[in-house]
Amino acid sequence: MRLRAVVEEVRGCGDAALLRVGAPEIAASAAPGQFVHIICGEDSPRVLRRPYSVFSVEGGTLGILLKVTGAGSRWLACRRPGDPLDILGPLGRGYASAAAGEEVALVAGGTGIAPLHFLAVELRREGVGCRLFWGMESASDFGHLPHRLGDLADTRLATMDGTLGAAGTVLDLLGDSGLDGVARAYACGPSAMLKPLHRLCEEAGIPLQVSVEERMACGVGACQGCAVPVVDDPPGYRMACRDGPVFPSVELDWERIE
Amino acid sequence: MRLRAVVEEVRGCGDAALLRVGAPEIAASAAPGQFVHIICGEDSPRVLRRPYSVFSVEGGTLGILLKVTGAGSRWLACRRPGDPLDILGPLGRGYASAAAGEEVALVAGGTGIAPLHFLAVELRREGVGCRLFWGMESASDFGHLPHRLGDLADTRLATMDGTLGAAGTVLDLLGDSGLDGVARAYACGPSAMLKPLHRLCEEAGIPLQVSVEERMACGVGACQGCAVPVVDDPPGYRMACRDGPVFPSVELDWERIE
Amino acid sequence: MTLATDLAGIRLPTPVLAASGTFGRGTEYAGLTDVEGLGGIISKAVTLRPCAGNPPPRLWETPCGLLNSVGLQNRGVEAFLREDLPELLSWGVPVIVNLAGFSREDYLETARVLRRAEGLSGIELNISCPNVKRGGLQFGAEPRVAAGLVAAVREVIDLPLLVKLSPNVPALGEMAAAVAEAGADGLSLVNTFPAMAVDIRTWRPRLGAVTGGLSGPALRPLAVRAVWEAYKAVDLPILACGGVSSWEDAVEMLLVGARAVAVGTALFREPRTPLMIAQGLKEYLLSKGLANVGQLVGKVLA
Amino acid sequence: MTLATDLAGIRLPTPVLAASGTFGRGTEYAGLTDVEGLGGIISKAVTLRPCAGNPPPRLWETPCGLLNSVGLQNRGVEAFLREDLPELLSWGVPVIVNLAGFSREDYLETARVLRRAEGLSGIELNISCPNVKRGGLQFGAEPRVAAGLVAAVREVIDLPLLVKLSPNVPALGEMAAAVAEAGADGLSLVNTFPAMAVDIRTWRPRLGAVTGGLSGPALRPLAVRAVWEAYKAVDLPILACGGVSSWEDAVEMLLVGARAVAVGTALFREPRTPLMIAQGLKEYLLSKGLANVGQLVGKVLA
Ligand SMILES: Cc1cc2nc3c(=O)[nH]c(=O)nc-3n(C[C@H](O)[C@H](O)[C@H](O)COP(=O)(O)OP(=O)(O)OC[C@H]3O[C@@H](n4cnc5c(N)ncnc54)[C@H](O)[C@@H]3O)c2cc1C
Ligand SMILES: Cc1cc2nc3c(=O)[nH]c(=O)nc-3n(C[C@H](O)[C@H](O)[C@H](O)COP(=O)(O)OP(=O)(O)OC[C@H]3O[C@@H](n4cnc5c(N)ncnc54)[C@H](O)[C@@H]3O)c2cc1C
Ligand SMILES: Cc1cc2nc3c(=O)[nH]c(=O)nc-3n(C[C@H](O)[C@H](O)[C@H](O)COP(=O)(O)O)c2cc1C
Ligand SMILES: Cc1cc2nc3c(=O)[nH]c(=O)nc-3n(C[C@H](O)[C@H](O)[C@H](O)COP(=O)(O)O)c2cc1C
Ligand code: FES
Ligand code: FES
């Protein structure tokens, strides 16, 4: 569950970076949708680890796709091969799989591609047909990554500025027919994307699993910091780190999610 | 007065490190006994700069001799050539010089060698005869540095563990005759060394200038944090950063200094 | 030489506990640290009835610190006794229940229910939670009010009673004295400090509950001073917490008067922190030729 | 768009000042920053008679924070007027005097002497210094006591009167209200928090005065919350300080109710901090299409 891992490679890809981390124990048991919890800077003002989805597993190597959004991710993006990394994982509950032969939709917003990439690899292996919809701000966000996804799935891209694929959001991309014939859907992205997607899937009667982002402290379910509103009776909270980060979208109380 | 300087070289020397920093403006005006004030880590828990004596000036390059005693100095010792460094300086008042032809004593404890090394270089240039007494814990503390000082001055070494020079403190090394014929004395080291040295010089009627170490915040005389007790009437405090770090030892209130 | 120590009548195998609200039932950390090696576990706040806690976001990181506004999320004392306590007790280390309430009657009724519990080592009376509108802190602001509550709880329950104080009072010594007088067996210091942060992009508070409590190394110097004030004021054992992250921090707390320390925020970064601290303390005692941590308590040369 | 703002009747060229006790007479920073670009300078505490301050060491660094126990070292109000004030005024920016005392009479007598001063823009009444045994904090702990002092000083002096409060009170709102009632023109929040650290090698306190005050980013979340509490409680302009190190921090303070900010500890690392903040504020206002910082004050969506 915990590891002194080693950075093997850091590849800039546009405004993001792809880290390859040697962490055999974690790699061996990680499932799509699970995350790792990383110390980003020993001698830093940061008291918390940073949660990152597993982007890929190849042999004993974990892939992590990260966007620099603050000091912690900047630190991470500046690692060099050979640097040690303190990682906990795999943590949380990932996506439930699909049946072989099914056609499923994967809907990603920005770095939300990370867990869905891993999921697509696994689903493909299991003979599930994947339609991948990915929206981002601009073509430059993730370097060549979008082009390489073609091998993995039936991939459709959208950018807000129209520099790659369709112009608009990933929901525009889905349009009226994107989910036609889809048995189930998987998503990861900002809640501004997940919310309407939830409605769309509900209307279409397609079961949807979403991975949510909530700020985390412990990452293991002990501090109750990463509360996600659920429609339980009475309405309460689940913990993103332990009960999620993947939830069936019908269990979440979207009214109380911003 | 302030500079984005550049690290040119970091040489480990025993348990210490010698940094060479390209900082032409500071180098041009620095005098022996003055110090620089350095940010040790942008993305760190440290709110304060760290004060370091100028060890040497060669062209536009400052030499800084540092011992790793905590996280700030560790950060500094880990710099690589080309790294930027945020430095203020030169700050404070240095040693008053001697007259050509005079014979003077320089008494250093540990990293106290730093300002005295710079002073010895300058005094030699001015035709002053220097006797350098340097005490340290062990031969390994400063690598080859002690051996190289021979060119600069009549150098005598002491180590607590007897691994280099005489066994004992630098005061043992001075003994009864070390100050014979000396017109003035200069010192830098822990107050456990400075205190008895002050008494020794007072008895021998030799004017002594000491560089003191006090924790510093602003480094420029604005915060009154680096108070040094003086024998003024009424007894008060001077600021190590602005009024010192070098003081005539008779001005200090040694009773109140630990 | 032994690390075992006595805290207000609670026999601790080591003087390093897991702080309230940060360790769950232990189970969560089971794969990451040896829970059995702890000096004790302090439960998350337990209230009479289930409590949903505050709306998210509940966390925000600040320079060397953490804001939380979890609030008193818990399933109520009955569920606690049924589901959590057995798991907490399964680790074989002392378990202390953090007792909170929204009114005096709440506290007392919960205490009465806890009286039935078997295996509990003590109570930490939480009169200092900055994360609830009613109750909590309101009992911790005024010595007279605090003393009244402590005395009433004291009558209800026989277990060792620690009172967890707010550090956010000008005359901490008076507060400590009032609580001691009222029958507390020990003090627990400090809870988080009331704090706040705002997202300048959205102009909204970083926390759903607007304000929260600051924990972590940022506040350690405030906690050290609070422990020292309390130590000078009263003759009660003190459980110190607030930013303790290393054995050096623990020694500092002992020197200013703590008998034991609790670790909270540091767990999130390094779940093994309490064990590493215990190991460090052991080596420190050995190196100093000391027989137990008691020989460090309050020994600061001030 | 303008950065100029009014603080309790003081016309500030920018809303970013140098905090009391951290900027000397300005001269010290002359080679390192453009002192003329400040929104104002608040003097080190001035007392009736000369005061030697506390024994060294006076500084200790903590995680993202700084402890200081300088105390009220100053040469007394007469020397201040003669030697320091002319230099402070020479920069052409508003000068506010931080007024401290050990007794009520001290405060009043000093205020009377300050009445003679020409060119002063205002008074910051310091009833919150944690670094003196008598006076200072003792006036800042009790609303009634604080109000009494403020009212008395108010009678003596006509200048804009800011009252610098201790954040270390449970009911900051009450304190703010009492001080407002007594005639303060504005509030200054926060002073340092009482704190302490111990050297575990020597078992001695890190500070010669044993305890000191915590400043810097570590305490910013506490300061933000204090400003917000005060803003909600009273209709007085607030000068905020406590860990402000960037323009983002300044915006945060404005959003919770500050009219202007003072920068202390951050100066030690980067003397140009106030100028960088002013520049950042300017760009922020422009980007938001705002005319002045007043349009941000208290606008947090809470
Ligand atoms: C389960 C999970 C999986 C994630 N997977 C990825 C991924 O694969 N790739 C990727 O680029 N990012 C991912 N994120 C977001 C990533 O954790 C944040 O971008 C990162 O923590 C930012 O840290 P920082 O110090 O750079 O930013 P700062 O903004 O300085 O962080 C301040 C605090 O806010 C928290 N925080 C900031 N942004 C987020 C966010 N979006 N979600 C949750 N907490 C946040 C930080 O953890 C930290 O506690 C994931 C988040 C979660 C919860
Ligand atoms: C005028 C002056 C000149 C100096 N010249 C040199 C030199 O040439 N070479 C050298 O190795 N060291 C020198 N020092 C000491 C050096 O500043 C400290 O070793 C350094 O600040 C330690 O920082 P740290 O983060 O590694 O240690 P920490 O112990 O983590 O520092 C914590 C705090 O204590 C302060 N501090 C720690 N040790 C000292 C000390 N000895 N003196 C003053 N403040 C201290 C730090 O500045 C910091 O604020 C000098 C000190 C002064 C005041
Ligand atoms: C997420 C979180 C939840 C907490 N919950 C409680 C609680 O329920 N009851 C309580 O008395 N203290 C609670 N605390 C306070 C801690 O027990 C501790 O007093 C405080 O965090 C300071 O210690 P630290 O700096 O080691 O975290 C909580 C702290 C955190 C960070
Ligand atoms: C070295 C030092 C000296 C101070 N002296 C005074 C003082 O004389 N009077 C006062 O009211 N505040 C004094 N303060 C407090 C500051 O004015 C300010 O309120 C506090 O440091 C918080 O702001 P900061 O985090 O930006 O430093 C001093 C602070 C420091 C660090
Ligand atoms: S992060 Fe602690 S419970 Fe999820
Ligand atoms: S360090 Fe500020 S006066 Fe010397």
Side-chain angles (χ1 to χ4, degrees), chain B residues 1-2 39 41-42 45-50 88 215-218 220-225 227 237 239 242 258, chain D residues 21 23-24 28-29 32 44 52 54-61 64-66 70 73 204 206 217 268-270:
Chain B
M1 270 281 261
R2 81 161 301 123
I39 292 185
E42 284 295 342
R46 291 178 285 287
V47 296
L48 299 181
R49 291 169 179 262
R50 298 289 185 262
L88 300 185
R215 294 180 207 141
M216 291 180 179
C218 70
V220 297
C223 75
Q224 301 185 292
Y237 300 105
M239 295 303 134
R242 185 194 49 201
E258 312 235 317
Chain D
F23 204 69
E28 296 84 353
Y29 287 107
L32 301 174
K44 171 73 189 160
N54 285 319
R58 291 177 172 184
L59 300 170
W60 180 248
E61 207 188 26
C64 296
L66 171 65
V70 169
Q73 173 167 354
R204 296 173 58 179
R206 293 287 190 179
F268 304 150
R269 197 179 159 98
E270 175 51 73

Side-chain angles (χ1 to χ4, degrees), chain A residues 88-195:
Chain A
L88 300 185
L91 300 174
R93 283 161 41 160
Y95 293 103
S97 199
E102 270 183 352
E103 176 86 6
V104 304
L106 279 54
V107 187
T111 52
I113 190 65
L116 294 179
H117 172 269
F118 188 14
L119 179 66
V121 173
E122 294 295 306
L123 290 179
R124 207 171 99 108
R125 196 200 327 263
E126 292 164 16
V128 178
C130 294
R131 240 180 264 173
L132 175 61
F133 301 86
W134 185 17
M136 59 204 95
E137 286 299 315
S138 179
S140 61
D141 284 2
F142 295 91
H144 291 293
L145 183 61
H147 308 287
R148 290 207 311 269
L149 292 180
D151 301 341
L152 204 61
D154 171 10
T155 301
R156 305 177 206 178
L157 305 171
T159 51
M160 290 306 291
D161 62 2
T163 46
L164 184 70
T169 69
V170 69
L171 291 167
D172 298 335
L173 190 63
L174 275 175
D176 290 335
S177 58
L179 295 178
D180 286 357
V182 154
R184 57 191 77 243
Y186 301 89
C188 183
S191 45
M193 172 197 116
L194 297 180
K195 257 177 159 169

Side-chain angles (χ1 to χ4, degrees), chain B residues 117-199:
Chain B
H117 171 269
F118 188 15
L119 179 65
V121 173
E122 293 295 305
L123 289 179
R124 206 171 98 109
R125 197 201 324 265
E126 293 165 14
V128 178
C130 294
R131 241 181 263 172
L132 175 61
F133 301 87
W134 186 16
M136 59 203 95
E137 285 301 315
S138 179
S140 62
D141 284 3
F142 295 92
H144 291 293
L145 184 61
H147 309 285
R148 290 208 310 271
L149 293 179
D151 302 341
L152 204 61
D154 171 10
T155 302
R156 304 177 206 178
L157 306 170
T159 51
M160 290 307 290
D161 63 2
T163 46
L164 184 70
T169 69
V170 68
L171 291 167
D172 298 334
L173 189 64
L174 275 176
D176 290 336
S177 57
L179 296 177
D180 286 357
V182 154
R184 60 190 77 242
Y186 301 89
C188 183
S191 45
M193 172 196 116
L194 297 180
K195 258 177 161 171
L197 183 65
H198 163 70
R199 244 177 289 123

Side-chain angles (χ1 to χ4, degrees), chain B residues 50-53 65-67 69-70 72-73 111 114 213-214, chain D residues 60:
Chain B
R50 298 289 185 262
Y52 282 96
S53 298
L65 179 73
L66 67 96
K67 216 176 139 172
T69 58
S73 46
T111 53
E213 286 191 2
E214 220 5 279
Chain D
W60 180 248

Side-chain angles (χ1 to χ4, degrees), chain C residues 58-105:
Chain C
R58 292 176 171 185
L59 299 169
W60 180 247
E61 206 188 28
T62 66
C64 295
L66 171 65
L67 303 190
N68 91 79
S69 60
V70 170
L72 300 178
Q73 173 166 354
N74 79 104
R75 287 172 300 170
V77 64
E78 294 289 354
F80 172 80
L81 292 187
R82 207 171 48 240
E83 294 163 36
D84 299 337
L85 187 58
E87 235 174 315
L88 282 165
L89 290 172
S90 73
W91 303 106
V93 304
V95 173
I96 298 171
V97 171
N98 186 269
L99 165 58
F102 300 96
S103 70
R104 188 188 156 94
E105 252 327 295

Side-chain angles (χ1 to χ4, degrees), chain A residues 179-185 198 200-208 249:
Chain A
L179 295 178
D180 286 357
V182 154
R184 57 191 77 243
H198 163 70
L200 217 65
C201 287
E202 221 177 19
E203 282 161 20
I206 300 170
L208 169 68
S249 81

